[in-house]
Amino acid sequence: MAWARKCIARSSLLTKHICRLPGRQVQQCIWAREWHGFGIRHHDEMRRWLPSFTNTRWNHASGVEPAEKLNPSFIIEQLSSDNDNKVLKVTWSDGSVSRYNTSWLRMNCQCSACKQPDSGQTLVTVTDFPAQLTIHSSSHQHNSSSIAINFNEESNHQCTLPVSWLKQHSYSPADLEVKARLRDVKYLDSAIGSFRCEDVRNSEGDLFEWLDHLNTFGITILKNVPVCPESVTKVANMIGPVTETLYGHTFDVQTEDKPINVAYSSVGLGFHVDLAYYESPPGLQLLHCLQFDDMVLGGESIFLDGFCIAEEFREKFPHHFETLTRVPATFQKFHFERANPAAYIYQRPHINVNRTGQITAVTWSPPFEGPLAVPEEDVEPYYEAYREFSTQLETSNKVVSYRLQQGDCVIFNNRRIFHGRMQFQQNGGVRHLKGCYVNIDDFRSKVQYLHEKRGLGQLAKRVGNQCMF
Amino acid sequence: MAWARKCIARSSLLTKHICRLPGRQVQQCIWAREWHGFGIRHHDEMRRWLPSFTNTRWNHASGVEPAEKLNPSFIIEQLSSDNDNKVLKVTWSDGSVSRYNTSWLRMNCQCSACKQPDSGQTLVTVTDFPAQLTIHSSSHQHNSSSIAINFNEESNHQCTLPVSWLKQHSYSPADLEVKARLRDVKYLDSAIGSFRCEDVRNSEGDLFEWLDHLNTFGITILKNVPVCPESVTKVANMIGPVTETLYGHTFDVQTEDKPINVAYSSVGLGFHVDLAYYESPPGLQLLHCLQFDDMVLGGESIFLDGFCIAEEFREKFPHHFETLTRVPATFQKFHFERANPAAYIYQRPHINVNRTGQITAVTWSPPFEGPLAVPEEDVEPYYEAYREFSTQLETSNKVVSYRLQQGDCVIFNNRRIFHGRMQFQQNGGVRHLKGCYVNIDDFRSKVQYLHEKRGLGQLAKRVGNQCMF
């Protein structure tokens, strides 16, 4: 109950920040720390976690690593001002330098009136303080965990920032580069790592190992998943809620004697990502093998690391790579003769990069491409680049194939690992998979949380969700 | 059953397209027309739609308007070749000219071997035909609905394209501009359009009017929604499946005497979009008013059209506008002390534009902003632009406020209409809303489908999902 009392006490701090709605009655209108939800109903569940986090309070709010654990030399050597006192310059004990603009410092003040300690949500808005802030004084007591900054233009507020937090969020060129490198993934090569369902279900350590592997390599197999229709949802829920799409909550990939759909037949399927015509195509795809009889010939699942192929492509064909990041393709699904008619269309490049050229997403889905709709001068370059990328996929020596066994559940990052299926012959047997999806951000959140809970604290590896980090 | 037989017959056409996986046993590996699902199980439902679409078969496949209905003058005046026979030049009877590159024509061939007539999925891949195609001949019989093209390098295939389809997908500068204009929306001004629940539930015409209004203005009120907890999901399901988020399937916004969360208290909430830390924040937000007692003072819902504000901002502060499209903000939610701990982080600009500068998304969520992580030279410009945009919101005369009544359900585009809430005093009364979300692409699909079913056929108005169209 002490925890609940603390929450209530904090909420009163909110009333000091108001925004006005001119032309109307003045209203107190406060940025919410939480719009709804919070999950606070589950007190027991919370108490279970709380003790282990007591000593890393700031970490929860900021969402990055507890730096002290990673690097005990995060100690301030010197504080000074630069650029007419509009920049705080911090010299660290290892000789590195970070520079922080005054607006940035003020917006990120971590005092409890400006930032909610538990959730890390910002309570201060930019219009709450003067536009031009200059440093009056900055101080850092030896062995203190925080620095304090006073601004000339805001005498009634002292800006407080934990030293470790400051280092972790340094945006010096060197620190931005380190953060970018932390996101590098290992490419899928010859083998798919496998884990046992009972292990990850019973041990949070194993759960973390499994999801970290999935995040790093983009794919894992979970063995011994109970052979029943509900299992795939249960596996998904160890990560996040199932994402319902136009294909429903779960779906069946099942061969029929008289197929009315190619997916229910035995033909092969080329490499693709699913649902490329959504703004956020599914992050994780789960396929649980309910039956795959021995007499069925072929039917192996095939995978190819789209990030790896794209990097190779950039190396070999820089000009084509640039074209595929620039000219938007059309992805669409128009199909009216179904229970819930579909009319999806989305225009995006095959490859997205961030401001420093790092790949943030790859999208490849030939059967769902609509007519290119770009100026004429982009058309031929697009098809030339497209043809070459397509050839790279078809001739890659990095294809990994795997024949699912009954009870296997393959889980892969649909945004990164292109998937397909070999043709097969039934020979009187059955191949039946049950699948579902999990949102990419829910997956990333789970991995990030487990990282931080275990004190590893790196940013989750890139997942292909176009996030510019 | 004739329909089912036709489907089965078509599937055999697939076997002519194969891709090979070198270094392995050669396998037939065919781009799927459908990976799974299809909804074909619901034959009765399909038959209900089929008759009305019989004469617009191509339309379903391509996903655009049946042009003949819109413009009877879509008649070809002349066919010729240009650019060493690598471009087909079509002169239309109204004097306009469209130019089509040979690769584009070949990739978009609509013969039943290259494009599945029902779903419009592409069966041909770019590596199935030569890289350099030149036109051998092109023909168009008077009054025929299609043109035929033969290429010098591919003697065994005749490329077939319906005339109306060709016109609809013209990528001439003038036609690209017309398509862009079709996407313009009307800005939310003083009033929120309302509809009656019983009407939209019982009449597809009313359903269309409602969703078209929602798509055009970004917000509607549905009146007389039965006051029970299940209603909001039922309303959502008239549009698409509910999107489950970290807040669950549905959520309650309810005042409590001793609130442990600001959302359950009576303070105001500033303008924001929900869940900005997801790659695809919720498209539609539904808030159904289960109780709002007369004695409660205040508590009006407030709305502001983010697209409108952003366009005004571009007009007034072009330099700041550019900054907000270029420098990525950080959105995050880190909150571990909850049943399902959250560690979401996403870096994106506040405003996204496409290649021609049209706004494709706006994202604004001050309480969920994390530390800016960009090079130093971008920091001050970012805060200057941010400050000005924030001021524009706070001083806008376009704020619309509405006091929900019991049974009202407000539905708004969370990607476009910023929302908030006035502070209120309970006075012993209760204010209780129940909410849920629908994915932005599912919403757009529904609107697009109803447009086409009614023969209106324009591209759905922009919805803020970053689609570059």
Side-chain angles (χ1 to χ4, degrees):
Chain A
M1 287 318 291
W3 188 88
R5 277 199 303 276
K6 201 164 58 174
C7 270
I8 295 164
R10 273 185 198 124
S11 74
S12 68
L13 292 168
L14 282 172
T15 53
K16 71 181 280 278
H17 299 285
I18 62 169
C19 72
R20 291 168 193 283
L21 300 168
R24 287 152 204 285
Q25 193 182 356
V26 174
Q27 298 278 349
Q28 268 192 307
C29 181
I30 296 168
W31 286 115
R33 298 173 298 173
E34 285 283 333
W35 174 217
H36 43 60
F38 239 39
I40 290 185
R41 299 153 191 107
H42 311 271
H43 284 184
D44 291 343
E45 180 73 6
M46 282 189 303
R47 282 205 204 90
R48 199 156 67 78
W49 295 131
L50 273 174
S52 67
F53 285 123
T54 309
N55 62 348
T56 53
R57 177 68 57 191
W58 290 109
N59 182 35
H60 307 159
S62 64
V64 293
E65 62 272 29
E68 308 88 329
K69 295 183 186 173
L70 294 177
N71 187 348
S73 69
F74 282 1
I75 296 167
I76 290 177
E77 187 74 29
Q78 194 187 1
L79 283 181
S80 60
S81 296
D82 197 8
N83 192 20
D84 294 336
N85 294 321
K86 288 190 283 189
V87 168
L88 178 74
K89 188 175 161 189
V90 179
T91 306
W92 303 95
S93 60
D94 63 359
S96 65
V97 172
S98 301
R99 295 164 56 85
Y100 305 92
N101 299 63
T102 50
S103 292
W104 188 96
L105 291 165
R106 182 65 188 88
M107 271 292 270
N108 288 297
C109 175
Q110 306 275 321
C111 83
S112 57
C114 291
K115 191 81 74 175
Q116 186 187 32
D118 285 306
S119 74
Q121 284 173 231
T122 305
L123 305 177
V124 66
T125 83
V126 73
T127 50
D128 287 343
F129 54 83
Q132 297 299 327
L133 288 178
T134 54
I135 297 168
H136 175 267
S137 61
S138 60
S139 60
H140 170 241
Q141 301 283 323
H142 185 60
N143 283 335
S144 162
S145 61
S146 292
I147 67 166
I149 306 155
N150 287 93
F151 299 109
N152 291 308
E153 296 77 9
E154 198 186 29
S155 57
N156 62 347
H157 183 262
Q158 185 174 64
C159 185
T160 309
L161 290 149
V163 174
S164 60
W165 188 96
L166 208 57
K167 176 61 181 167
Q168 289 156 33
H169 291 90
S170 164
Y171 49 98
S172 72
D175 284 320
L176 286 181
E177 200 186 319
V178 166
K179 275 177 195 153
R181 278 206 308 274
L182 283 177
R183 295 175 52 252
D184 283 342
V185 294
K186 294 187 180 113
Y187 293 132
L188 171 66
D189 41 29
S190 57
I192 303 176
S194 68
F195 295 78
R196 293 194 312 176
C197 184
E198 59 268 36
D199 293 340
V200 305
R201 204 165 48 186
N202 296 325
S203 150
E204 194 180 89
D206 288 322
L207 177 71
F208 170 72
E209 295 295 335
W210 169 49
L211 294 183
D212 184 53
H213 189 95
L214 176 56
N215 190 226
T216 301
F217 290 94
I219 185 168
T220 67
I221 305 280
L222 209 53
K223 308 290 291 182
N224 307 338
V225 177
V227 180
C228 60
E230 300 77 25
S231 285
V232 73
T233 303
K234 288 183 180 169
V235 172
N237 288 339
M238 286 196 282
I239 309 170
V242 167
T243 301
E244 186 167 346
T245 70
L246 78 158
Y247 292 108
H249 195 257
T250 61
F251 51 83
D252 290 275
V253 185
Q254 192 168 12
T255 310
E256 294 172 1
D257 283 343
K258 293 186 178 180
I260 56 170
N261 179 320
V262 67
Y264 308 146
S265 73
S266 58
V267 299
L269 302 169
F271 288 116
H272 64 286
V273 306
D274 274 16
L275 279 60
Y277 37 82
Y278 272 86
E279 179 183 44
S280 183
L284 294 187
Q285 180 165 170
L286 294 84
L287 291 171
H288 180 214
C289 182
L290 294 176
Q291 190 172 354
F292 200 157
D293 295 330
D294 289 341
M295 65 277 265
V296 177
L297 294 175
E300 292 85 354
S301 301
I302 51 173
F303 303 99
L304 188 55
D305 190 326
F307 269 54
C308 176
I309 292 290
E311 286 295 359
E312 285 182 356
F313 190 67
R314 162 151 54 187
E315 187 77 21
K316 287 188 196 167
F317 309 99
H319 181 66
H320 288 332
F321 180 88
E322 189 276 336
T323 300
L324 292 192
T325 64
R326 185 176 52 81
V327 182
T330 307
F331 298 98
Q332 68 181 32
K333 177 175 177 63
F334 279 80
H335 188 203
F336 291 175
E337 294 84 358
R338 67 201 303 276
N340 52 337
Y344 292 80
I345 188 163
Y346 202 94
Q347 198 187 38
R348 60 172 15 123
H350 290 286
I351 302 172
N352 295 87
V353 293
N354 67 8
R355 301 205 300 167
T356 59
Q358 292 182 304
I359 295 171
T360 59
V362 286
T363 312
W364 190 255
S365 190
F368 293 94
E369 278 186 31
L372 193 69
V374 299
E376 182 180 334
E377 60 267 28
D378 288 332
V379 175
E380 280 307 319
Y382 171 83
Y383 283 115
E384 284 166 23
Y386 185 99
R387 174 179 295 273
E388 195 55 62
F389 192 73
S390 191
T391 302
Q392 294 300 308
L393 295 185
E394 290 176 13
T395 59
S396 175
N397 61 4
K398 294 197 167 58
V399 177
V400 173
S401 78
Y402 183 85
R403 185 184 166 105
L404 287 162
Q405 294 169 8
Q406 189 173 302
D408 284 354
C409 184
V410 59
I411 304 109
F412 58 93
N413 183 336
N414 176 59
R415 307 295 294 275
R416 174 182 158 194
I417 306 291
F418 300 160
H419 68 291
R421 176 185 79 192
M422 297 292 204
Q423 184 196 31
F424 59 97
Q425 286 142 25
Q426 286 189 251
N427 290 331
V430 169
R431 180 185 187 273
H432 179 195
L433 315 180
K434 196 164 186 76
C436 72
Y437 301 117
V438 171
N439 179 285
I440 193 81
D441 304 296
D442 292 331
F443 167 55
R444 181 171 172 158
S445 171
K446 185 75 174 191
V447 173
Q448 186 79 57
Y449 163 69
L450 291 174
H451 258 289
E452 301 204 20
K453 182 151 185 265
R454 298 171 70 81
L456 303 172
Q458 297 180 356
L459 277 177
K461 301 292 183 185
R462 58 164 71 82
V463 289
N465 67 345
Q466 298 181 76
C467 174
M468 295 178 77
F469 267 129
Chain B
M1 290 317 293
W3 186 88
R5 278 199 302 276
K6 201 164 58 172
C7 271
I8 295 164
R10 272 186 199 124
S11 73
S12 68
L13 291 168
L14 282 173
T15 53
K16 71 181 279 279
H17 298 286
I18 63 169
C19 73
R20 293 169 191 281
L21 300 168
R24 288 153 204 286
Q25 193 183 358
V26 174
Q27 300 276 350
Q28 266 191 312
C29 181
I30 298 166
W31 287 113
R33 297 174 299 173
E34 284 284 334
W35 174 217
H36 43 61
F38 238 37
I40 290 184
R41 299 151 192 110
H42 311 271
H43 284 183
D44 290 344
E45 180 72 8
M46 282 188 303
R47 278 203 207 91
R48 199 156 68 77
W49 296 131
L50 272 174
S52 67
F53 285 122
T54 308
N55 62 347
T56 53
R57 175 68 57 190
W58 290 109
N59 182 35
H60 307 160
S62 64
V64 294
E65 63 273 30
E68 308 88 329
K69 294 183 187 173
L70 294 176
N71 185 350
S73 71
F74 282 1
I75 296 166
I76 290 177
E77 187 74 28
Q78 194 188 1
L79 282 181
S80 60
S81 296
D82 196 8
N83 191 21
D84 293 336
N85 294 320
K86 288 190 284 189
V87 167
L88 178 74
K89 189 175 161 186
V90 179
T91 306
W92 303 95
S93 59
D94 64 359
S96 64
V97 173
S98 300
R99 296 163 56 86
Y100 304 93
N101 299 62
T102 48
S103 292
W104 189 97
L105 291 165
R106 183 62 189 87
M107 270 293 269
N108 287 297
C109 175
Q110 307 274 323
C111 83
S112 58
C114 292
K115 192 80 75 176
Q116 186 187 31
D118 285 305
S119 74
Q121 285 174 229
T122 304
L123 305 178
V124 67
T125 82
V126 73
T127 49
D128 287 343
F129 55 83
Q132 297 299 328
L133 289 178
T134 54
I135 297 169
H136 175 268
S137 61
S138 60
S139 61
H140 171 241
Q141 301 283 323
H142 185 61
N143 282 336
S144 161
S145 63
S146 293
I147 67 165
I149 306 154
N150 286 91
F151 299 108
N152 290 309
E153 297 77 7
E154 198 185 30
S155 57
N156 61 347
H157 183 264
Q158 185 174 66
C159 184
T160 310
L161 290 149
V163 173
S164 60
W165 189 95
L166 207 58
K167 176 62 180 166
Q168 291 154 34
H169 291 90
S170 165
Y171 49 97
S172 73
D175 284 319
L176 286 181
E177 199 186 320
V178 167
K179 275 177 194 154
R181 277 207 308 275
L182 283 177
R183 295 174 53 251
D184 283 344
V185 295
K186 293 185 180 119
Y187 293 132
L188 171 66
D189 42 27
S190 58
I192 302 176
S194 68
F195 295 78
R196 293 194 311 176
C197 184
E198 58 268 35
D199 294 340
V200 305
R201 204 165 47 185
N202 296 325
S203 150
E204 193 179 272
D206 288 319
L207 177 71
F208 170 73
E209 295 295 335
W210 169 49
L211 294 184
D212 185 52
H213 190 95
L214 176 55
N215 191 224
T216 300
F217 290 93
I219 185 167
T220 66
I221 304 280
L222 209 54
K223 308 288 291 182
N224 307 338
V225 176
V227 179
C228 60
E230 300 77 26
S231 285
V232 72
T233 304
K234 288 182 180 169
V235 173
N237 287 339
M238 287 196 282
I239 309 170
V242 167
T243 301
E244 187 168 345
T245 71
L246 77 159
Y247 293 108
H249 195 257
T250 63
F251 51 85
D252 290 276
V253 185
Q254 193 167 10
T255 310
E256 295 171 3
D257 283 343
K258 295 187 177 180
I260 55 167
N261 180 322
V262 68
Y264 307 146
S265 73
S266 58
V267 299
L269 302 169
F271 288 117
H272 64 286
V273 306
D274 275 16
L275 280 60
Y277 37 82
Y278 272 86
E279 177 183 44
S280 183
L284 294 186
Q285 180 165 171
L286 294 85
L287 291 170
H288 180 216
C289 183
L290 293 176
Q291 191 172 353
F292 199 158
D293 294 330
D294 289 342
M295 65 276 263
V296 177
L297 293 176
E300 291 86 354
S301 301
I302 51 173
F303 303 98
L304 188 55
D305 191 326
F307 269 54
C308 175
I309 292 291
E311 286 295 358
E312 285 181 357
F313 190 68
R314 163 154 50 189
E315 188 77 23
K316 286 188 198 168
F317 309 99
H319 181 65
H320 288 332
F321 180 89
E322 190 274 337
T323 299
L324 292 192
T325 63
R326 185 175 53 80
V327 182
T330 305
F331 297 97
Q332 69 180 33
K333 177 175 176 63
F334 278 80
H335 187 203
F336 291 176
E337 294 83 0
R338 67 201 304 274
N340 52 337
Y344 293 79
I345 188 162
Y346 201 94
Q347 197 187 37
R348 60 173 15 123
H350 291 285
I351 302 173
N352 295 87
V353 295
N354 66 10
R355 302 206 299 167
T356 59
Q358 291 181 304
I359 296 171
T360 59
V362 287
T363 312
W364 190 256
S365 190
F368 292 93
E369 279 186 30
L372 193 69
V374 299
E376 183 180 335
E377 61 267 28
D378 288 331
V379 175
E380 281 307 318
Y382 170 82
Y383 283 114
E384 284 167 23
Y386 185 100
R387 175 179 295 274
E388 195 55 62
F389 192 73
S390 191
T391 302
Q392 293 300 307
L393 295 185
E394 291 176 13
T395 59
S396 176
N397 61 4
K398 295 198 166 61
V399 176
V400 173
S401 78
Y402 182 84
R403 186 184 165 105
L404 287 162
Q405 294 169 10
Q406 190 173 302
D408 284 354
C409 184
V410 59
I411 304 108
F412 58 93
N413 184 338
N414 176 59
R415 307 295 294 275
R416 175 183 157 193
I417 305 291
F418 300 159
H419 68 291
R421 174 185 81 192
M422 297 293 203
Q423 185 196 30
F424 60 96
Q425 287 141 26
Q426 285 190 249
N427 290 330
V430 170
R431 181 185 187 271
H432 180 194
L433 315 180
K434 197 166 186 73
C436 71
Y437 302 116
V438 171
N439 180 286
I440 194 80
D441 304 295
D442 292 331
F443 167 55
R444 181 170 173 158
S445 171
K446 185 76 175 190
V447 173
Q448 186 78 58
Y449 164 68
L450 291 173
H451 257 290
E452 300 204 22
K453 181 151 186 265
R454 297 170 70 80
L456 304 173
Q458 296 179 358
L459 276 178
K461 300 292 184 188
R462 60 162 72 83
V463 288
N465 67 346
Q466 299 181 75
C467 174
M468 294 178 78
F469 267 130

